[in-house]
Amino acid sequence: MDSRPFQEIPCAFCSKPVNLGIDLCADENGKAVHEACYVQHVTSPGNPTAAIMAN
Ligand SMILES: [Zn+2]
């Protein structure tokens, strides 16, 4: 039996493996990230994306 049902891709933010069946989310560049990491990224004060959107 295959013991590796999902390919693991490192999260663009925290570098921990993203489980494609559970955690998969993609940032604006299409990289695999954890949904929680992405939310933290877009809501963190002073991040470039939020600064652009505020303008
Ligand atoms: Zn992450």
Side-chain angles (χ1 to χ4, degrees), residues 6-18:
F6 295 106
Q7 181 181 5
E8 290 184 339
I9 298 175
C11 172
F13 296 119
C14 71
S15 299
K16 294 178 182 177
V18 176

Side-chain angles (χ1 to χ4, degrees), residues 31-47:
K31 293 181 180 179
V33 297
H34 297 113
E35 183 176 6
C37 291
Y38 182 69
V39 170
Q40 189 173 50
H41 169 71
V42 299
T43 58
S44 63
N47 93 69

